């Protein structure tokens, strides 16, 4: 059965992890992607040790994730986490690919990345909570870079926003 493609904007979510009262920082923020059904793929370092996790798409509607059944990797070895969001839209699976590093040429793979980066904090809601917007970057993965460190590197075409001075959060 062939399923119609789903717009990426319907799959993108902001991930908000609550680490509990007394923790500094109490909340961690990240980006996630609804992969299949109601499962969100995000970074393990965002949701590690969280007592509650919520996600919200561009519509800014908060949905609860199930922390108890989350699969959370080791951020130092496999910085991935998979969480179920029961109230999310039940989407067909998104194809996932693996980068082949056994290339015979200086191959470059054109790709893009999308998320809710910290510098895109643009507004506040009725309750004074900060809202983030999305950012997309275009670039290339050069599979022969970072072979020793076993990392992939996305080289982007646009210069990133300057970081604030060290004394500013």
């Amino acid at each position: 059965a062939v399923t119609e493609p789903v717009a990426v904007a319907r799959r993108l979510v902001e991930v908000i992890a609550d680490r509990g009262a007394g923790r500094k920082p109490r909340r961690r923020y990240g980006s996630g992607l609804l992969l299949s059904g109601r499962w969100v793929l995000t970074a393990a370092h965002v949701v590690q040790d969280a007592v509650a996790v919520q996600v919200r798409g561009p519509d800014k509607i908060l949905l609860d994730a199930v922390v108890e059944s989350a699969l959370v990797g080791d951020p130092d070895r496999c910085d991935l986490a998979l969480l179920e969001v029961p109230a999310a839209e039940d989407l067909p699976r998104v194809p996932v690919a693996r980068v082949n590093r056994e290339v015979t040429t200086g191959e470059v793979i054109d790709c893009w990345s999308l998320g809710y980066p910290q510098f895109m904090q643009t507004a506040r809601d009725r309750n004074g909570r900060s809202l983030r917007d999305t950012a997309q970057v275009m670039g290339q993965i050069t599979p022969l870079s970072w072979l020793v460190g076993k990392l992939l590197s996305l080289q982007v075409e646009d210069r990133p926003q300057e970081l604030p001075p060290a004394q500013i959060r």
Side-chain angles (χ1 to χ4, degrees), residues 41-59:
L41 177 67
T42 189
H45 73 269
V46 173
V47 298
Q48 183 182 41
D49 301 327
V51 295
V53 176
Q54 294 181 306
V55 301
R56 62 183 173 194
D59 58 8

mmCIF file of all heavy atoms in Angstrom, residues 41-59:
data_model
loop_
_atom_site.group_PDB
_atom_site.id
_atom_site.type_symbol
_atom_site.label_atom_id
_atom_site.label_comp_id
_atom_site.label_asym_id
_atom_site.label_seq_id
_atom_site.Cartn_x
_atom_site.Cartn_y
_atom_site.Cartn_z
ATOM 1 N N LEU A 41 11.272 11.069 17.618
ATOM 2 C CA LEU A 41 12.710 10.888 17.728
ATOM 3 C C LEU A 41 13.304 12.227 18.138
ATOM 4 O O LEU A 41 13.021 13.262 17.527
ATOM 5 C CB LEU A 41 13.301 10.443 16.387
ATOM 6 C CG LEU A 41 14.821 10.278 16.349
ATOM 7 C CD1 LEU A 41 15.253 9.106 17.229
ATOM 8 C CD2 LEU A 41 15.280 10.063 14.917
ATOM 9 N N THR A 42 14.120 12.221 19.189
ATOM 10 C CA THR A 42 14.763 13.440 19.673
ATOM 11 C C THR A 42 16.150 13.083 20.197
ATOM 12 O O THR A 42 16.609 11.959 20.038
ATOM 13 C CB THR A 42 13.901 14.131 20.749
ATOM 14 O OG1 THR A 42 14.447 15.427 21.040
ATOM 15 C CG2 THR A 42 13.772 13.320 22.014
ATOM 16 N N ALA A 43 16.804 14.024 20.841
ATOM 17 C CA ALA A 43 18.145 13.805 21.399
ATOM 18 C C ALA A 43 18.036 13.316 22.844
ATOM 19 O O ALA A 43 17.252 13.850 23.634
ATOM 20 C CB ALA A 43 18.957 15.094 21.345
ATOM 21 N N ALA A 44 18.841 12.308 23.170
ATOM 22 C CA ALA A 44 18.828 11.757 24.527
ATOM 23 C C ALA A 44 19.218 12.803 25.559
ATOM 24 O O ALA A 44 18.657 12.837 26.664
ATOM 25 C CB ALA A 44 19.770 10.549 24.603
ATOM 26 N N HIS A 45 20.177 13.698 25.225
ATOM 27 C CA HIS A 45 20.623 14.680 26.218
ATOM 28 C C HIS A 45 19.514 15.660 26.603
ATOM 29 O O HIS A 45 19.577 16.273 27.657
ATOM 30 C CB HIS A 45 21.876 15.434 25.750
ATOM 31 C CG HIS A 45 21.619 16.423 24.672
ATOM 32 N ND1 HIS A 45 21.711 16.108 23.329
ATOM 33 C CD2 HIS A 45 21.271 17.738 24.716
ATOM 34 C CE1 HIS A 45 21.432 17.177 22.606
ATOM 35 N NE2 HIS A 45 21.161 18.181 23.417
ATOM 36 N N VAL A 46 18.492 15.780 25.783
ATOM 37 C CA VAL A 46 17.373 16.679 26.106
ATOM 38 C C VAL A 46 16.452 16.042 27.146
ATOM 39 O O VAL A 46 16.030 16.689 28.092
ATOM 40 C CB VAL A 46 16.577 17.055 24.836
ATOM 41 C CG1 VAL A 46 15.317 17.840 25.189
ATOM 42 C CG2 VAL A 46 17.445 17.844 23.882
ATOM 43 N N VAL A 47 16.147 14.746 26.990
ATOM 44 C CA VAL A 47 15.128 14.106 27.839
ATOM 45 C C VAL A 47 15.710 13.255 28.960
ATOM 46 O O VAL A 47 14.966 12.770 29.813
ATOM 47 C CB VAL A 47 14.163 13.263 26.985
ATOM 48 C CG1 VAL A 47 13.417 14.153 25.996
ATOM 49 C CG2 VAL A 47 14.877 12.147 26.252
ATOM 50 N N GLN A 48 17.032 13.085 28.993
ATOM 51 C CA GLN A 48 17.655 12.286 30.042
ATOM 52 C C GLN A 48 17.305 12.856 31.410
ATOM 53 O O GLN A 48 17.374 14.060 31.635
ATOM 54 C CB GLN A 48 19.168 12.275 29.840
ATOM 55 C CG GLN A 48 19.910 11.415 30.827
ATOM 56 C CD GLN A 48 21.404 11.493 30.598
ATOM 57 O OE1 GLN A 48 21.949 12.561 30.343
ATOM 58 N NE2 GLN A 48 22.068 10.364 30.687
ATOM 59 N N ASP A 49 16.892 11.991 32.323
ATOM 60 C CA ASP A 49 16.542 12.360 33.705
ATOM 61 C C ASP A 49 15.297 13.235 33.816
ATOM 62 O O ASP A 49 15.058 13.833 34.870
ATOM 63 C CB ASP A 49 17.709 13.074 34.411
ATOM 64 C CG ASP A 49 18.958 12.217 34.469
ATOM 65 O OD1 ASP A 49 18.819 10.981 34.572
ATOM 66 O OD2 ASP A 49 20.069 12.773 34.399
ATOM 67 N N ALA A 50 14.489 13.331 32.786
ATOM 68 C CA ALA A 50 13.273 14.144 32.856
ATOM 69 C C ALA A 50 12.187 13.395 33.632
ATOM 70 O O ALA A 50 12.072 12.178 33.539
ATOM 71 C CB ALA A 50 12.767 14.470 31.450
ATOM 72 N N VAL A 51 11.399 14.149 34.393
ATOM 73 C CA VAL A 51 10.254 13.566 35.091
ATOM 74 C C VAL A 51 8.986 13.704 34.261
ATOM 75 O O VAL A 51 8.014 12.981 34.466
ATOM 76 C CB VAL A 51 10.054 14.190 36.490
ATOM 77 C CG1 VAL A 51 11.241 13.860 37.388
ATOM 78 C CG2 VAL A 51 9.840 15.688 36.417
ATOM 79 N N ALA A 52 8.992 14.631 33.309
ATOM 80 C CA ALA A 52 7.871 14.826 32.387
ATOM 81 C C ALA A 52 8.410 15.438 31.103
ATOM 82 O O ALA A 52 9.354 16.215 31.137
ATOM 83 C CB ALA A 52 6.811 15.741 32.999
ATOM 84 N N VAL A 53 7.794 15.044 29.976
ATOM 85 C CA VAL A 53 8.187 15.589 28.675
ATOM 86 C C VAL A 53 6.924 15.949 27.914
ATOM 87 O O VAL A 53 5.952 15.186 27.911
ATOM 88 C CB VAL A 53 9.030 14.587 27.856
ATOM 89 C CG1 VAL A 53 9.345 15.153 26.474
ATOM 90 C CG2 VAL A 53 10.313 14.215 28.586
ATOM 91 N N GLN A 54 6.947 17.118 27.299
ATOM 92 C CA GLN A 54 5.856 17.542 26.423
ATOM 93 C C GLN A 54 6.447 17.924 25.073
ATOM 94 O O GLN A 54 7.623 18.273 24.979
ATOM 95 C CB GLN A 54 5.108 18.739 27.013
ATOM 96 C CG GLN A 54 4.365 18.414 28.292
ATOM 97 C CD GLN A 54 3.625 19.625 28.805
ATOM 98 O OE1 GLN A 54 4.209 20.680 28.996
ATOM 99 N NE2 GLN A 54 2.336 19.466 29.044
ATOM 100 N N VAL A 55 5.606 17.847 24.041
ATOM 101 C CA VAL A 55 6.012 18.297 22.713
ATOM 102 C C VAL A 55 4.954 19.259 22.199
ATOM 103 O O VAL A 55 3.805 19.232 22.630
ATOM 104 C CB VAL A 55 6.202 17.117 21.721
ATOM 105 C CG1 VAL A 55 7.246 16.142 22.232
ATOM 106 C CG2 VAL A 55 4.894 16.423 21.417
ATOM 107 N N ARG A 56 5.384 20.117 21.277
ATOM 108 C CA ARG A 56 4.431 21.005 20.621
ATOM 109 C C ARG A 56 4.952 21.315 19.224
ATOM 110 O O ARG A 56 6.131 21.522 19.003
ATOM 111 C CB ARG A 56 4.171 22.278 21.414
ATOM 112 C CG ARG A 56 5.356 23.174 21.629
ATOM 113 C CD ARG A 56 4.998 24.384 22.495
ATOM 114 N NE ARG A 56 6.197 25.136 22.827
ATOM 115 C CZ ARG A 56 6.250 26.059 23.759
ATOM 116 N NH1 ARG A 56 5.169 26.350 24.449
ATOM 117 N NH2 ARG A 56 7.357 26.703 23.996
ATOM 118 N N GLY A 57 4.027 21.319 18.280
ATOM 119 C CA GLY A 57 4.355 21.626 16.901
ATOM 120 C C GLY A 57 4.214 23.115 16.656
ATOM 121 O O GLY A 57 4.058 23.913 17.591
ATOM 122 N N PRO A 58 4.228 23.511 15.389
ATOM 123 C CA PRO A 58 4.073 24.926 15.059
ATOM 124 C C PRO A 58 2.755 25.529 15.555
ATOM 125 O O PRO A 58 2.665 26.736 15.731
ATOM 126 C CB PRO A 58 4.148 24.943 13.528
ATOM 127 C CG PRO A 58 4.941 23.730 13.187
ATOM 128 C CD PRO A 58 4.557 22.709 14.215
ATOM 129 N N ASP A 59 1.753 24.681 15.825
ATOM 130 C CA ASP A 59 0.469 25.177 16.356
ATOM 131 C C ASP A 59 0.566 25.556 17.833
ATOM 132 O O ASP A 59 -0.348 26.146 18.393
ATOM 133 C CB ASP A 59 -0.634 24.149 16.155
ATOM 134 C CG ASP A 59 -0.337 22.808 16.820
ATOM 135 O OD1 ASP A 59 0.658 22.696 17.583
ATOM 136 O OD2 ASP A 59 -1.105 21.859 16.569
#
